Amino acid sequence: IGADTLQLFIIVFFKEQGEQLNSTGFSASLFRVVRLLRLTRILRLLQSHVFRDLVTMIYGMMGGLATLAWSVVLFVIFIYVVALIFRDSLGPSTTRVPDERIERYFANVPRSMFTIFRCSFGDCSTGGGTPIFEHVTEVHGYFWSLVYSGYVFIVVIGLFNVISAIFVENTMNSAAKMASRKRRDLLESKDRWATNVCDFLQALFEESQLDLPDLNGLEESECDGLLSEIQQVEFPNEVVDKIVHNDHRAKEALNKLDIDPIDHAFLADILDPQNDGNITVLELIDGLKRLRGEPRRSDIITIDLMVRSLQERIDEIWKWTHHSLKQTIHKSRSELGAVGVASGSASSFMK
């Protein structure tokens, strides 16, 4: 529509320029290009789940381009060194009997490099289809058959496998980094967090039959009075279990929050730290935030530091209790001793 409108505008208001463009055929070509730009909308399809593997492969290839470039450099250097050796040993020379079947393939360094490149990938034959190194062995002896066999073994088993392994490793690392960055962006998205938490709370409100408005449709001015009311709401564990198992909207909200589906069945117990059978809104929000994403090393370290802090406090309490108990025992013994002395004195006086 935009291309047709622009074309009509030029023809109506700029007749001379429009006729000139039409006579040269430039106008039609220009607007065909503009129409072709509409095909870029197809790129939006790559965001679909169906094309996830394709996008991963593309990003992996892009991440492995540096490795591929250095592999080319290494392979060219290796081919160059081997080509120099074969050029001096099998190329034209005044000290050897000339053989056109061999020397033409090692006539100079570039030609020798091309021949070695072909041999590296299995196409080591003459123009007539016979193997080059069969003629080399026939003319120069079986030593060159061993040299050729060693070269093929080093290239195929050694060099190519090393390059392939490093390229695959970097490609997989790039794909993993891309997936990790995407997950991190999703976890840091405030809109995604707010929308899905509101959907989950709305499902809880509807199941609890609470008369509250739609959270996603609230205006900012309406939130102040409603916030204190929502904070006082408590949900029984049975209600949370029910919507997690039966409510499709709640399940979808938890999945979009990147909460492991395995944790869905135990969500009510996880979000009830006091184990009193009820979950407040603040406990729910705080628990969902901590459950998002994959387990991290920082989670384990945090628990370890908290346990150590508790252990130090328990040790301090134990030392204080032990010291107080010793003082109490000592005081009791002193009082008992004083009572005993007083009783002895009284007995002596009575006698």
Side-chain angles (χ1 to χ4, degrees), residues 90-142:
L90 302 177
S93 176
T94 56
T95 61
R96 291 189 297 268
V97 178
D99 191 325
E100 181 64 21
R101 297 175 302 175
I102 301 173
E103 292 181 351
R104 61 176 296 189
Y105 298 102
F106 303 97
N108 49 53
V109 175
R111 180 57 172 154
S112 179
M113 290 181 65
F114 181 64
T115 302
I116 297 302
F117 177 82
R118 289 176 53 206
C119 292
S120 301
F121 291 92
D123 185 22
C124 196
S125 58
T126 64
T130 58
I132 295 175
F133 277 87
E134 286 291 340
H135 300 297
V136 173
T137 302
E138 181 182 344
V139 175
H140 298 284
Y142 286 96

Side-chain angles (χ1 to χ4, degrees), residues 52-322:
R52 182 181 61 182
D53 294 336
L54 175 61
V55 174
T56 302
M57 287 189 288
I58 293 174
Y59 276 98
M61 287 292 296
M62 293 174 60
L65 287 179
T67 303
L68 189 62
W70 283 113
S71 301
V72 171
V73 172
L74 176 63
F75 187 61
V76 169
I77 293 174
F78 184 79
I79 290 294
Y80 178 72
V81 173
V82 176
L84 288 177
I85 297 173
F86 278 62
R87 165 63 186 85
D88 291 337
S89 303
L90 302 177
S93 176
T94 56
T95 61
R96 291 189 297 268
V97 178
D99 191 325
E100 181 64 21
R101 297 175 302 175
I102 301 173
E103 292 181 351
R104 61 176 296 189
Y105 298 102
F106 303 97
N108 49 53
V109 175
R111 180 57 172 154
S112 179
M113 290 181 65
F114 181 64
T115 302
I116 297 302
F117 177 82
R118 289 176 53 206
C119 292
S120 301
F121 291 92
D123 185 22
C124 196
S125 58
T126 64
T130 58
I132 295 175
F133 277 87
E134 286 291 340
H135 300 297
V136 173
T137 302
E138 181 182 344
V139 175
H140 298 284
Y142 286 96
F143 171 76
W144 285 100
S145 63
L146 297 176
V147 173
Y148 174 69
S149 300
Y151 167 77
V152 172
F153 183 84
I154 291 173
V155 170
V156 175
I157 304 299
L159 186 62
F160 284 174
N161 282 339
V162 170
I163 291 175
S164 300
I166 296 176
F167 180 75
V168 171
E169 182 182 3
N170 288 341
T171 301
M172 296 299 294
N173 289 337
S174 298
K177 289 180 181 179
M178 180 200 70
S180 177
R181 183 171 60 252
K182 185 176 181 180
R183 288 194 299 269
R184 184 171 63 252
D185 292 340
L186 292 177
L187 290 175
E188 293 176 355
S189 175
K190 295 181 179 180
D191 293 338
R192 184 183 181 89
W193 160 254
T195 301
N196 289 287
V197 168
C198 288
D199 289 341
F200 191 77
L201 287 175
Q202 191 69 39
L204 284 172
F205 291 151
E206 293 176 0
E207 183 63 29
S208 302
Q209 297 181 355
L210 297 176
D211 188 15
L212 292 173
D214 186 6
L215 298 180
N216 286 323
L218 288 177
E219 297 293 337
E220 185 175 357
S221 58
E222 301 174 352
C223 294
D224 296 335
L226 188 62
L227 185 59
S228 58
E229 182 181 354
I230 292 177
Q231 290 179 351
Q232 303 301 323
V233 176
E234 293 186 356
F235 305 104
N237 290 3
E238 296 78 10
V239 175
V240 177
D241 285 332
K242 186 175 181 180
I243 68 161
V244 166
H245 289 88
N246 301 326
D247 194 293
H248 177 72
R249 181 174 55 176
K251 292 181 180 179
E252 185 177 359
L254 292 176
N255 291 329
K256 289 182 178 180
L257 288 173
D258 299 314
I259 296 176
D260 193 342
I262 299 177
D263 295 333
H264 292 183
F266 312 100
L267 192 63
D269 294 332
I270 295 172
L271 299 179
D272 185 14
Q274 299 177 356
N275 200 23
D276 57 357
N278 292 310
I279 303 172
T280 65
V281 174
L282 295 180
E283 290 176 345
L284 178 72
I285 295 175
D286 184 61
L288 291 178
K289 183 180 294 185
R290 294 177 183 274
L291 283 172
R292 298 188 70 192
E294 298 178 352
R296 294 173 292 273
R297 185 170 178 265
S298 58
D299 298 331
I300 301 174
I301 294 176
T302 302
I303 295 174
D304 181 66
L305 294 176
M306 292 176 64
V307 171
R308 289 188 181 187
S309 177
L310 289 174
Q311 185 178 10
E312 291 177 357
R313 293 184 180 182
I314 291 173
D315 289 340
E316 292 177 358
I317 294 173
W318 182 85
K319 290 178 181 179
W320 179 82
T321 305
H322 183 68

